[in-house]
Amino acid sequence: MSVFLLLLGVVVEHSSYAADDFSWLKAEPHNEASVRAYLEQQNRSAQLTLNPLKPLQQSLIAQWQNAASAKAESPWLIRGDDELNQIWLNGERVIARRKRNSQSQSILLNIEQRAAKHDYYRLANWSLSPDGKHLALAEDVVGDENYRIVVINLAQSTALQVAIKSETALLWGRDSRRLYTIEHLSTEPAGVALYEHFLDTGRSQLKLMESDPQWILSAYVASDPEYAVIQLNNEVMSEQRLLNLVTGALLEPIRPRQNGIEYYANVVHGKLYINSNHTGNFGLYQSALGASQWQVVYIPKSSAELKHFYLFAAGILIHEHEQGRDQLVIIGYDKAEPLHLAMAPEGAVGWISRVGDFNSNIVHIRSMSMIQPAKWERLHIGNAQRSLISEDAYPGFQQSAYRTEQISIQSGSVRVPVTLAYKSSMLHRQSPVLLYGYGAYGFTMRPYFMSQIISLLDKGFIYAIAHVRGGGYYGEAWHSAGKGVNKPAGIADFVAAAKTLQSFKQGQRKIAAMGSSAGGTLIAAAVNQHPEYFSAVSLNVPFVDVVASMSDASQPLTAQQYHEWGNPRQANELAVMADYDPVNNVGALDYPATMVRVGWHDSRVPYWEGAKYLSLLAARSQGRGPYLLLTDFQSGHAMDRRQALAQQAMDYAFLIHYLLPSEQTEL
């Protein structure tokens, strides 16, 4: 039996079964036109519904722009005698260079001029050649995260395209004639490969190939600039080699891959320093180049987890995570007593950024909270002195008028941390809650300071982040407790957070949920279980068709994700996945108003996932809706920054409308 739908003059044919589950929304060459017509019609329908919210959207945009900070300039990257930075100059983003400690700068590239040539543009990485004459760029001009690699001759202002369908890694040979890139292969067997490009002759040669789709290939320059580290890893093990950037020689693996064993190396002064879990928990070790025996440098206490380390002439800086807090440890090469420092003040979050080179002995720390504007501090490894170098300033913002706190919520046998913020004078028993969640890959959602969030607090919202299992709030154990067959635990945590926050501080509160990507799994699954807990939902590029996507080996990330989501070829894992899969569990329930955004060129979470989910929701829900699907045909997994503010303002306007009676109008 066939069903014909007339969509704006386009005849769409598909089976009655496909019409029911919307699987036909996965565009193939034979039906791409009809799928696009359907999505465009959904866009028009959604825009008609959202039109009454445009005054609120414009009001939010104006408020955010008026509250725009006098953003402090980010620290410059220290590379020998030079400093490099991406800065704003006369309203345009540029890449600039200057001599260290000098204020006289030269412009290497005007990013806005390159972006103006494309409907979508993202500069993902850039790297200056050792001789300072060439600038390599990794650009996405579609939104599909297949990056083209372009080398700019700075003296002649000419551009040479070196590669397409690449990752963002850019490694220069020390002679500035060679550039190393990581590229996706379209040949058989498909895979990913490290290439060496000779810029003066146009010749390229394969250095290393990995055809197993479960493995990821990446690279980074070592503290000794004569070497780069070439890394292969999946979710449970790693293998690394050194690439000699002087000779081009790729060495044998530091340690052969072994199930469950991870290691991450750096090199300086002829020695390897390695963060590894080969004896159990992660610790720092050292060895001579080519040696098989590793000596202990530093082992954290059992309650702490060693995350990263950085090598400097004055000592080693270690980043540890313990019970939801990040701290820094400085140790000398003589294995002197370690010095422990807090990464950020209580209630704030901090992270290491803009790391100087080996001889600089300097790292920069970025920190903020939901009510504390972002600031930059400089830490000198030699004397452990920390100094404030800049801080964002928001006109009229009074931090004392707001409060942030962390509560813990019972979920089964565990207590789940929830970070929240609100404006003290606006808090009352009906103050609504915007609950944000992610809960995957061991990633901890940082409580960023954003004028957008402050605008919600000013309207009386409580903004909350649920640090559910599957994230990294309590380290790898917390991640493991919510990944794979344990994924339902994180969903239960989010449900518990929503239920508890309804009565936070003896209130009677409406709950809105917001999430993106993997956060879409968390939220959509929670809403399937308890739609009555939520008044409105906003999802961006949500991963909601879990079983179907994890069963499709043609998708680029599928094989790399089995440990995170489960392998549907294993019966016990498939049973768990099917039980929480958002698309598979949409029922005839009273669902809250829901808005879903997808990107046509999304290679991480294909657009059809969110499109199927929202279409099923609209077809089966017993609620009033609305159920709105918006497809951005000019983007992928990330929005173009030039459209991001307007889209975010509409997302917020949608949620505000359903949670604040004073903002409601007829939709």
Side-chain angles (χ1 to χ4, degrees), residues 453-491:
I453 292 176
I454 296 301
S455 71
L456 290 178
L457 307 188
D458 288 342
K459 288 182 177 293
F461 270 80
I462 300 167
Y463 192 98
I465 302 172
H467 302 290
V468 305
R469 283 172 284 184
Y473 196 85
Y474 289 135
E476 182 52 35
W478 196 247
H479 174 214
S480 296
K483 74 174 183 179
V485 294
N486 297 323
K487 186 63 67 175
I491 297 165

Side-chain angles (χ1 to χ4, degrees), residues 176-486:
S176 298
R177 294 174 50 249
R178 291 165 294 134
L179 183 70
Y180 298 88
T181 64
I182 294 172
E183 300 174 34
H184 298 282
L185 302 178
S186 56
T187 57
E188 290 294 336
V192 64
L194 175 71
Y195 273 91
E196 181 178 41
H197 305 279
F198 296 87
L199 302 182
D200 50 358
T201 66
R203 184 172 65 89
S204 298
Q205 69 177 12
L206 177 69
K207 300 291 290 186
L208 178 68
M209 185 180 77
E210 178 59 57
S211 58
D212 187 338
Q214 296 189 50
W215 287 79
I216 301 169
L217 180 60
S218 58
Y220 55 92
V221 178
S223 293
D224 183 338
E226 292 191 0
Y227 291 95
V229 180
I230 309 303
Q231 175 176 304
L232 280 161
N233 70 281
N234 60 24
E235 288 199 5
V236 296
M237 54 181 154
S238 64
E239 179 182 87
Q240 294 190 326
R241 303 165 183 252
L242 293 183
L243 172 66
N244 189 315
L245 295 174
V246 176
T247 66
L250 183 64
L251 307 185
E252 291 300 309
I254 295 170
R255 178 186 177 120
R257 61 185 71 174
Q258 181 181 348
N259 190 43
I261 303 300
E262 298 178 65
Y263 65 92
Y264 305 98
N266 200 344
V267 60
V268 75
H269 292 164
K271 286 187 177 180
L272 278 172
Y273 290 83
I274 308 152
N275 177 20
S276 177
N277 67 345
H278 70 289
T279 62
N281 294 330
F282 280 95
L284 185 62
Y285 303 85
Q286 74 172 30
S287 77
L289 288 178
S292 59
Q293 297 299 314
W294 298 355
Q295 292 81 44
V296 171
V297 175
Y298 175 80
I299 303 293
K301 59 184 180 180
S302 59
S303 59
E305 184 177 343
L306 197 161
K307 304 294 288 184
H308 305 288
F309 72 98
Y310 307 88
L311 301 178
F312 297 95
I316 304 170
L317 178 67
I318 293 170
H319 170 200
E320 282 186 349
H321 186 82
E322 183 177 15
Q323 295 298 306
R325 296 296 308 277
D326 291 295
Q327 63 179 350
L328 302 172
V329 183
I330 299 176
I331 59 175
Y333 292 101
D334 57 1
K335 301 182 183 178
E337 189 69 20
L339 175 65
H340 293 259
L341 306 168
M343 178 81 80
E346 186 74 31
V349 62
W351 61 97
I352 293 172
S353 185
R354 303 297 169 108
V355 179
D357 61 18
F358 179 76
N359 290 314
S360 73
N361 293 318
I362 286 174
V363 297
H364 294 101
I365 300 167
R366 182 82 160 159
S367 66
M368 66 181 73
S369 79
M370 283 196 283
I371 65 169
Q372 173 212 303
K375 64 181 180 181
W376 286 100
E377 294 176 286
R378 178 178 290 121
L379 174 65
H380 196 285
I381 306 305
N383 56 21
Q385 292 299 305
R386 187 166 173 167
S387 58
L388 177 67
I389 58 173
S390 62
E391 187 170 14
D392 294 354
Y394 288 79
F397 174 73
Q398 296 292 328
Q399 183 174 338
S400 60
Y402 303 86
R403 183 175 178 184
T404 184
E405 59 182 281
Q406 183 173 293
I407 62 174
S408 63
I409 287 172
Q410 193 70 40
S411 176
S413 61
V414 305
R415 304 286 296 183
V416 178
V418 176
T419 303
L420 49 82
Y422 53 86
K423 189 172 186 177
S424 302
S425 63
M426 296 295 292
L427 185 67
H428 54 79
R429 294 186 63 188
Q430 282 74 46
S431 294
V433 178
L434 196 163
L435 181 59
Y436 194 94
Y438 187 75
Y441 303 108
F443 180 77
T444 301
M445 188 57 60
R446 294 167 175 162
Y448 290 111
F449 183 92
M450 299 170 58
S451 57
Q452 294 93 319
I453 292 176
I454 296 301
S455 71
L456 290 178
L457 307 188
D458 288 342
K459 288 182 177 293
F461 270 80
I462 300 167
Y463 192 98
I465 302 172
H467 302 290
V468 305
R469 283 172 284 184
Y473 196 85
Y474 289 135
E476 182 52 35
W478 196 247
H479 174 214
S480 296
K483 74 174 183 179
V485 294
N486 297 323

Side-chain angles (χ1 to χ4, degrees), residues 542-612:
F543 180 45
V544 284
D545 201 8
V546 179
V547 172
S549 287
M550 294 305 298
S551 300
D552 184 359
S554 68
Q555 292 194 38
L557 300 180
T558 294
Q560 300 166 7
Q561 306 291 323
Y562 289 145
H563 291 282
E564 183 65 38
W565 300 101
N567 186 342
R569 291 178 294 182
Q570 304 296 324
N572 63 317
E573 296 183 26
L574 174 60
V576 174
M577 298 165 73
D579 194 50
Y580 73 77
D581 182 298
V583 162
N584 283 347
N585 290 282
V586 173
L589 303 171
D590 186 356
Y591 283 95
T594 302
M595 181 162 67
V596 173
R597 292 188 185 274
V598 297
W600 180 252
H601 298 290
D602 195 338
S603 61
R604 289 179 179 263
V605 182
Y607 73 87
W608 60 78
E609 294 206 21
K612 284 173 63 175

